[in-house]
């Protein structure tokens, strides 16, 4: 833990700015993700609020220097509380022509360009389809351009240490990091320490990176090029202990916490798939928490393993994305019929089919709600920020365990890889979600003998008793055929089937009684209400703030529980003259609330593999307001 | 295991209250009886036993056992059982499946459960037909078979279930049939006592849709000359007077011979514990139809770590090394910093 | 072909009735399905309109004599056009106590009971949980009971022919058939002929069945028991050539016809599952039509085989039910992305999970509409009667081929096994749904060279060109990753993805322009409109007729196309004050139209594994009417 | 086949305009080159050739071939290719897959395509790792492997792909590696020329996530003593001076020996055409790790009817018997009657 001592504040001639969006772009081989990560951590330690957006190609390695091979990392640092990685970056660091070509149009007009001039040779210009050299064809006139021969300077710094030229080249991302760290007054210690232990094993690499980083930093100090530096003051985050967290890590930790709070061992069945794999990776590290992970042969087996584990008294979990979600429908439907707790976690990505594996989307709400044959209702909940993934995991587990039902938890690629500072919760404040296994007979026959009826429900929750193997006298059989209410024996009678279909539906619907009232953010008396779910939270939050700062009135309801819908949602929505529903799909939640409440909600759709920008939502709110005015 | 496992049980303790619903004369009855008679001998308790099945006539089996049971979905029993066995290495896990359930839709889970050596005893009721769906050919039906879905005769060459299992690294592989209760019980016992994935193919007669499929081999009068009883460490001989035997040629081909012609010493000695599965494979392929001498008994039984135990060992090792998990530490594990009030 | 000469009309003393519902019930082993079938055919040949409902247990053989083992077949014959198998039967033939126990409560008050008294012994009474013998405990007083020692009489007739007692027993269902045939004046020739050739191979069985049938028929003539006979006159069906057809056979024939009309070879990939297996069975008989059937290893492979066949220029089809539908989602999503024609046929059964394999339900509309990850829209259509399955198959193929899209065709267990007389269409009247494969380059590069662009769409249908292997110069690659509009090259750019998502959606939505206007049946000016889809057609039709006969006004719209919805549906529904939507699910279509049109449609739900009865719908219409009155 | 198939093609005719996107140094490049160089020799036309792949680095392959191609879904390539091969027996069908694609999620389709002997040539790029998803262990990774998903070492014993294929009735089974273009070309040619399902395992180096996995065997200096080249009809010998050989013991166990010790005649003669797959299986299991002498070449190549042709034959037979289908007759086939107007 480093205490915040504002080392560089002393340094004079620094201009204070309230926030800055910086985008690091280069070839997949240039280590931009690492660079962005480090800059983020340094800023976090410095006390800024921040939000990040990593983007990288689906190919393992697209051809070096090609536009497809561009990998970038955008970070938004601020002295006030923010939620989005920012719309148009103010600074673009481009390590090669392809990166410039790919990301220039995102840079805000008049923004700052930091270019590695060494790479602007014919070969690389060709690969980026440049016919003329942007460095001198005037096409960059609209920007503040900082030209730095990073490769050369890095080599000059590293080679004297005995580093081979080829290896020295690999350190140039640290040169860039050093330069930007100087320009935006980032403390250097943390980064240097990090370099030291990250590359402890390979001393030459360590030295080379260190040298490159300092060379970049000093280059900023010494050259005219850079002009004066900027400083984004620490944000006034509530006091407390913080860490920087991505959605997938938060989700994995949330699952560990959920198992801990449920006093159940955790068994994960999973099959690798982008962008969900990292949850499998993270969980497989924590075996000392009693976490069992099985890399299954496919998604069907992964889900089946979760069902088997649930029957055996574990918190059974399966994680996936894209086509994997479709493959889990069969086993999930079994879990609905067996009425066993199980978590199906879907890190949504672009579809259909293999789609856009590395891009974000939120188009799996339909399959989560309706993607099972027959009447097979189950709860669906969605996380809305990287850190919220931690709590969403616990809430999903709470519902699954209490109601003995599979629960689908939706996250997405943007939350999965995006990061933010997170004020650590006190583990003791986490809810107790434990459950008692059934150990006693619950039914008496006419002759007075007693037996165990696996489908004799709790009158309130309608949950069936959970008796696990190893419990004497409670042996029972469950299966996917329709069963008699109570005894659980196979039963095809018309009346019983109708009863069971309604009981299963009522159990899920009843969960609505177990949800907190919805929070209407913004202006309760506004004409326009934004209804959101999932990762649109960040952009909506920023847009609502801006609108209100500009004196506009707007309300905002963000759903975590998508099935059942909160009981008060209908009344709330009916209060407004215009309801807009921004979604990274073609309007899936919108269609659902329209059917549910006959409210003329309007879909605001974006399906580009990217999150909404605050501006896009702000404009949608604008339009909704004008629409209302026109009506009146 | 809880101490209840030493409590003695009787066949009755293993028989559920559900009335058995197979066709009269179905071979499944005999298999059920054999299992119910065996269980008390195993010294295990019903509450520590789980039967997992897929879908099919055979997969109704768990309902008839007074133990924990899951009548799951078609073909997925080995995967669901993997979840049970990984979560609870303390339990006795049995998988009941059919030739369609295990080898058609369930083929992938079947071979992976065997490869991982997950601790479960798999009983495959092979009747060479889809019974429950009323008689389509299965992956073990012979070429040319006329069924509802192959009115002009099936053109799919069948799997040899033992060969599939051996190709998939199975550590225990055996074969028995529904007409010999004693042999079934002995084979099931060996399969149960083997730690890891045990696979037993049971020739089972479906008297409604594929009656008499195995008569040429298991028919009372056929048995002596058609059934080759495999015993570890013993020369592989058969025939009414054990006058026939099996030899391995230098060309790597097994042959059936008259013991008289080659002399006793030339007869191949069965080695079920050999790590290399090639011999077991060759024996499995000794006959590839239901009309020539066919080996029964334990083809292969080797020791290797079972999956659930290995998973548990990694957990134990991790706890020994890092100590039991602590949430607060976990949340700090990627580094943290403090924001103080006075800012 | 038999011409209709009303042989028994001559016979006097027969009472004319306009319709009768007869239910044959017995043990699974008693051959009730065969008996019902024969009675149906005889009635069809006699010229009655009719509708049937077979019901049998899910177990291959439940214990003989047990209630679970009861198998029954209900047939409704009439002199006017009818559509349902009838609500309460007027006659119940019960071959054993279990059958009586299971079906008595269906019999209409005062109805006729025909009982095989030989089976009412202690053993069988026990198995049916009878404590006293209904034959003499007065419990049957409310009915007209005809007691016949069928087993004994059958044996008396057959044994003299040299039939073994055990075998003779097997003929008793023919005795029952003979008896009922007499009572309801069915012609005997057709049945005798049928017995002769069906049992040609086993002469003794043939003789035994013949003898039993005649014994039954004569027993009717000679004994007092039966009293006078009834006659249901031939229905005034439009002239033409007829056959009796079940939904699955009609569907299979429709697929053969579709391939023929499309001039495409047919390849079916399927995995057996009740109640869809019969389509695989039927199609595998017709190899001389160039029909290829592959019994795949599982449903995933079955669907994949259809995709591979489609890519190769065949009409690729896959058939399934229940959990099989869920398993086909992954490959169907690929077909959506590849934009290839393919038919996924779902014979719906009771769910969730394995559910009720032999019972009907219509709860797969949701998974058909929404059961794919990402935005993966496709057309969904539903058949509404056994014979309509033939035309629905052709329509599904027409859309799939014309728009290069997978299409889901929904039927259900009731249509699949139910039968009706069908006036044979003239093959020459069937539509030409053929399509031209692409054989020429469709894109010219700047340098003047030409190439083939697999995603360059038809401007009207938005369908992409279908170029098949074997065509020189048209080699191309397709895949599940997002692709550039036009060239079809892999492309992850935000703008392109959004464009493609909207193009795929627009293509499907555009099919609405290709649909005939909806037919509003009944009274266009009614307050109440019934919106139906699928097999509810029969019950709605009868209910609407009854309501109107009683002077009530009601309108009825029945949907064949569920996605896209017909363009005129919204306006039509808005015309009525009350819209009710009867469905064999919890209101799946209802929710969709509510969301689509903000119409306050009301769900009429039944989830019992059984079709609606006309009365149930009639009552729902009643209630809707009173509701409207109360409003006014 | 259209006459275009005799038209001569060059490597260029088989190279698509798509730029190849594997990591620099990936073994996949060499395999692509070998296939592109082979195709002109086969006398087939690009328009009659279809490459079907699943998902994985290796599965990007079809994009780089100028032929018809489907980059399908993970693990399903053999099933999709079955659709192609059944619909169009006239086409040349190739399946490109990886160790995860074919043996993990795709295991079931893989074994059933082999069992049915569907006419396709399956090239399995075995790099013993999940490449595309950035390095998790695969069903062919060695026990103890440390990867992102097995930080404490994998506990899953690997499949031997050849053993799986042989257990699944494969009619053609071979092995080659990405460093020997000539051997690849010869092996691919033999696989292509075999009618039915041909399976080739290719040792492929993933230099990013599993670099050097096969160095102990295929490394230049290792080859003579570690690679055993199988040739039908020839004694199985290897070593710098072919001084080592393989013999089959009477106990049914293959052994590596010095030819000098046992004499040339004792050396096992390879028989790839033998119907019984047991010998091929034993050879496949001769080495079960990547550090001991390992056989390459064609293990098994036997004639049996291919599925697509058999399907076609039943169609032809049906048409000959009943004549080509007639719709009007079909509609009447369950009997019909006429309702006349005068009623
Ligand atoms: C996903 C799915 N596909 C298909 C079915 C239909 N089905 C049930 S059992 C079965 C095959 C039964 O054959 P087998 O496994 O040999 O068992 P048997 O009845 O012969 O004992 C099939 C195809 C199903 N229940 N679920
Ligand atoms: C249904 C589904 N599950 C998982 C994935 C993610 N995935 C893509 S390729 C792959 C494995 C790749 O390994 P391998 O087959 O060995 O091919 P390689 O990349 O090594 O050539 C996985 C898990 C997917 N695309 N689809
Ligand atoms: S159908 Fe065959 S396997 Fe199934 S219960 Fe009947 S006899 Fe047994
Ligand atoms: S990750 Fe491995 S297999 Fe994939 S392209 Fe790179 S080197 Fe080749
Ligand atoms: Mg079977
Ligand atoms: Mg691989």
């Amino acid at each position: 833990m480093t205490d915040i001592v504002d080392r560089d504040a002393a340094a004079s001639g620094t201009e204070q700015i309230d926030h800055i969006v910086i985008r690091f772009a280069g070839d997949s081989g240039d280590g931009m993700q690492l660079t962005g990560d480090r800059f983020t951590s340094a800023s976090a330690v410095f006390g800024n609020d921040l939000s990040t957006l990593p983007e990288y190609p689906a190919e393992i390695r697209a051809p070096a220097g090609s536009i497809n091979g561009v990998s970038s990392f955008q970070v938004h640092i601020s002295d006030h509380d923010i939620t989005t990685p920012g719309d148009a970056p103010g600074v673009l660091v481009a390590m090669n022509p392809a990166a410039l070509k790919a990301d220039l149009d995102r840079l805000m007009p008049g923004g700052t360009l930091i270019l590695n001039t060494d790479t602007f040779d014919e070969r690389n210009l060709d690969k980026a389809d440049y016919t003329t050299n942007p460095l001198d064809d005037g096409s960059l006139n609209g920007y503040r351009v900082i030209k730095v021969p990073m490769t050369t300077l890095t080599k000059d710094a590293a080679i004297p240490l005995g580093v081979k030229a080829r290896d020295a080249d690999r350190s140039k991302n640290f040169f860039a990091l050093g330069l930007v760290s100087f320009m935006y007054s980032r403390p250097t210690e943390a980064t240097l320490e990090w370099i030291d232990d990250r590359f402890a094993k390979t001393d030459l690499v360590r030295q080379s990176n260190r040298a490159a980083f300092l060379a970049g930093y000093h280059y900023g100090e010494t050259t005219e090029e850079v002009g004066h530096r900027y400083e984004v003051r620490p944000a006034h985050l509530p006091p407390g202990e913080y860490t920087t967290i991505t959605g997938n890590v938060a989700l994995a930790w949330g699952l560990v916490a959920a198992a801990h709070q449920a006093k159940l061992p955790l068994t994960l069945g999973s099959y690798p798939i982008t962008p969900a794999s990292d949850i499998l990776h993270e969980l497989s590290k924590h075996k000392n928490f009693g976490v069992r992970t099985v890399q299954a042969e496919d998604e069907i087996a992964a889900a089946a393993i979760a069902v088997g584990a649930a029957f055996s008294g574990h918190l059974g979990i399966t994680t996936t994305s894209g086509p994997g979600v479709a493959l889990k429908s069969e086993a999930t439907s079994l879990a609905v019929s067996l009425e066993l707790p199980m978590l199906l976690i879907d890190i949504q990505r672009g579809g259909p089919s293999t789609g856009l594996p590395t891009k974000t989307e939120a188009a799996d709400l339909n399959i989560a709600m309706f993607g099972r044959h027959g009447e097979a209702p189950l709860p669906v909940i969605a996380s809305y920020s990287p850190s919220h993934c931690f709590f969403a995991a616990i809430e999903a587990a709470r519902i699954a365990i209490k109601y003995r039902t599979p629960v689908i938890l939706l996250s997405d690629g943007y939350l999965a890889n995006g990061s933010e500072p997170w004020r650590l919760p006190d583990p003791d404040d986490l809810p107790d979600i434990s459950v008692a296994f059934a150990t006693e007979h619950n039914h008496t026959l006419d002759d007075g003998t007693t037996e165990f009826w696996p489908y004799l429900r709790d009158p309130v929750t309608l949950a069936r008793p959970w008796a696990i193997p190893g419990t004497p006298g409670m042996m029972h059989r469950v299966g996917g055929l329709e069963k008699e209410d109570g005894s659980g024996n196979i039963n095809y009678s018309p009346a019983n089937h109708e009863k069971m279909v309604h009981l299963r539906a009522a159990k899920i619907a009843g969960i609505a009684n177990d949800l907190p009232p919805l929070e209407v953010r913004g202006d309760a008396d506004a004409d326009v209400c934004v209804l959101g779910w999932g990762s649109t939270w960040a952009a909506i939050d920023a847009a609502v703030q801006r609108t209100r700062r500009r004196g506009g009135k707007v309300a905002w309801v963000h759903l975590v529980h998508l099935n059942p819908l909160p009981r008060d949602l209908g009344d709330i929505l009916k209060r407004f003259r215009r309801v807009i529903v921004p979604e990274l799909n073609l309007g899936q939640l919108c269609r659902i609330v329209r059917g549910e409440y006959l409210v003329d909600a309007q879909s605001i759709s974006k399906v580009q593999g990217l999150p909404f920008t605050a501006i896009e939502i702000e404009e949608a709110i604008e339009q909704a307001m004008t629409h209302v005015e026109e009506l009146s | 295991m809880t101490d209840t496992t030493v409590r003695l049980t009787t066949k009755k303790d293993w028989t559920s209250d559900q009335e058995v619903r197979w066709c009269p004369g179905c071979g499944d009855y005999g298999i059920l009886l054999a299992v119910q008679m065996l269980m008390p001998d195993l010294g295990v308790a019903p509450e520590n036993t789980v039967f997992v099945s897929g879908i099919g006539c055979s997969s109704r089996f768990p309902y008839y056992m007074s133990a924990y049971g899951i009548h799951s979905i078609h073909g997925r029993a080995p995967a669901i059982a993997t979840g049970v066995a990984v979560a609870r290495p303390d339990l006795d896990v049995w998988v009941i499946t059919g030739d369609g359930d295990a080898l058609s839709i369930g083929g992938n889970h079947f071979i992976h459960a065997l490869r991982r050596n997950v601790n479960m005893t798999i009983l495959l009721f092979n009747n060479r037909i889809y019974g429950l769906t009323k008689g389509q050919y299965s992956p073990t039906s012979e070429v040319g078979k006329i069924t509802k879905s192959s009115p002009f005769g099936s053109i799919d060459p069948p799997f040899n279930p033992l060969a599939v299992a051996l190709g998939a690294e199975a550590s225990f592989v055996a074969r028995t049939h529904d007409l010999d209760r004693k042999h079934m019980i002995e084979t099931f016992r060996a399969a149960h006592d083997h730690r890891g994935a045990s696979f037993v193919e049971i020739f089972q007669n479906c008297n409604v849709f594929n009656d008499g499929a195995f008569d040429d081999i298991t028919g009372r009068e056929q048995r002596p000359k058609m059934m080759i009883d495999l015993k570890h460490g013993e020369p592989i001989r058969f025939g009414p007077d054990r006058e026939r035997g099996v030899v391995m040629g230098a060309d790597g081909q097994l042959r059936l011979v008259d013991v008289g012609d080659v002399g006793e010493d030339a007869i191949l000695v069965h080695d079920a514990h050999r790590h290399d599965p090639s011999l077991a494979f060759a024996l499995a392929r000794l006959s590839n139809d239901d009309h020539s001498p066919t080996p029964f008994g334990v083809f292969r039984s080797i020791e290797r770590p079972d999956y659930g135990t290995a998973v548990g060992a990694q957990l134990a090792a991790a706890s020994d090394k890092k100590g039991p998990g602590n949430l607060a530490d976990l949340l700090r594990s990627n580094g943290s910093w403090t924001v103080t009030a006075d800012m």
Side-chain angles (χ1 to χ4, degrees), chain B residues 58-320:
Chain B
S58 35
S59 290
R60 288 303 185 88
F61 192 99
Y63 289 117
Y64 310 137
M65 296 297 299
S66 176
Y68 286 89
I70 309 177
H71 176 230
S72 74
I73 34 181
H74 195 33
R76 318 301 175 195
I80 288 174
T82 296
V84 176
V86 168
R88 299 285 303 277
D90 60 304
L91 300 173
D92 248 13
V93 183
W94 296 72
V95 167
I96 307 294
T97 184
D99 42 319
D101 194 57
L103 297 172
S104 194
I105 190 169
N108 207 32
H109 312 304
F110 176 68
I111 60 178
H112 282 273
L114 295 175
R115 169 176 77 92
R116 295 195 186 104
N117 204 32
V118 185
N119 193 33
M120 60 178 79
T121 304
I122 304 173
L123 306 186
L124 189 154
F125 293 32
N126 185 4
N127 55 14
R128 303 206 189 291
I129 200 79
Y130 287 175
L132 189 72
T133 47
K134 308 199 154 120
Q136 299 84 2
Y137 65 99
S138 91
T140 59
S141 300
E142 67 279 10
V143 170
K145 187 172 203 70
I146 305 264
T147 71
K148 288 198 184 95
S149 56
S150 56
F152 301 92
S154 154
I155 59 173
D156 301 36
F159 275 137
N160 174 323
L162 303 184
V164 174
L166 290 163
E169 311 293 321
S171 61
F172 181 100
V173 172
R175 178 187 280 145
T176 183
H177 68 96
D178 61 3
L179 294 176
D180 185 340
R181 182 176 312 146
K182 195 169 146 307
H183 191 270
M184 279 192 285
I185 289 181
E186 282 329 301
T187 312
F188 297 162
R189 183 199 310 280
H192 167 270
D193 294 350
H194 173 77
R195 181 100 197 153
S198 317
F199 170 62
V200 181
E201 176 190 25
I202 309 165
F203 283 176
Q204 174 243 326
N205 191 43
C206 167
N207 56 301
V208 169
F209 295 111
N210 198 22
D211 197 20
F214 306 103
D215 285 1
D216 287 358
I217 301 170
T218 59
R220 285 238 164 279
E221 49 304 313
Q222 309 296 334
R223 295 186 198 177
K225 60 176 185 303
M226 293 300 249
M227 291 182 58
I228 305 174
D229 202 1
L230 298 175
K231 292 225 181 325
H232 174 74
E234 293 183 14
I236 304 174
R237 298 177 58 164
F238 64 107
D241 317 308
R242 317 202 54 250
E243 73 282 12
R244 305 272 296 154
V246 177
V247 298
M248 169 62 82
D251 60 354
Q253 180 66 63
L254 286 185
R255 290 188 183 72
L256 300 181
V257 296
D258 287 329
V259 179
D261 301 348
V262 299
E264 301 207 1
D265 304 351
I267 302 301
L268 178 66
V269 174
H270 181 44
D271 180 0
H273 303 336
R274 186 178 295 172
H275 221 282
D276 180 342
S278 303
L279 174 59
F281 186 91
L283 288 167
R285 295 296 306 230
L286 193 56
S287 157
N288 217 32
D289 61 46
D290 298 327
H291 316 293
S292 24
T294 304
F296 285 78
V298 178
F299 288 66
R300 170 173 169 86
S301 173
I302 62 150
E303 294 297 320
R304 56 184 183 91
D306 83 272
Y307 195 79
T309 305
V311 169
Q314 287 197 330
L315 262 57
S319 300
D320 294 349

Side-chain angles (χ1 to χ4, degrees), chain A residues 27 35 57 93 185 202 213 236 278 327 329 369 371 418 435 455 474 514 519 572 621:
Chain A
D27 192 64
T35 313
V93 180
S185 319
T202 47
F213 176 75
H236 294 290
D278 288 337
L327 288 166
S329 169
M369 296 283 296
V435 58
Y455 278 78
M474 302 293 279
D514 197 0
E519 181 183 349
I572 292 174
I621 294 173

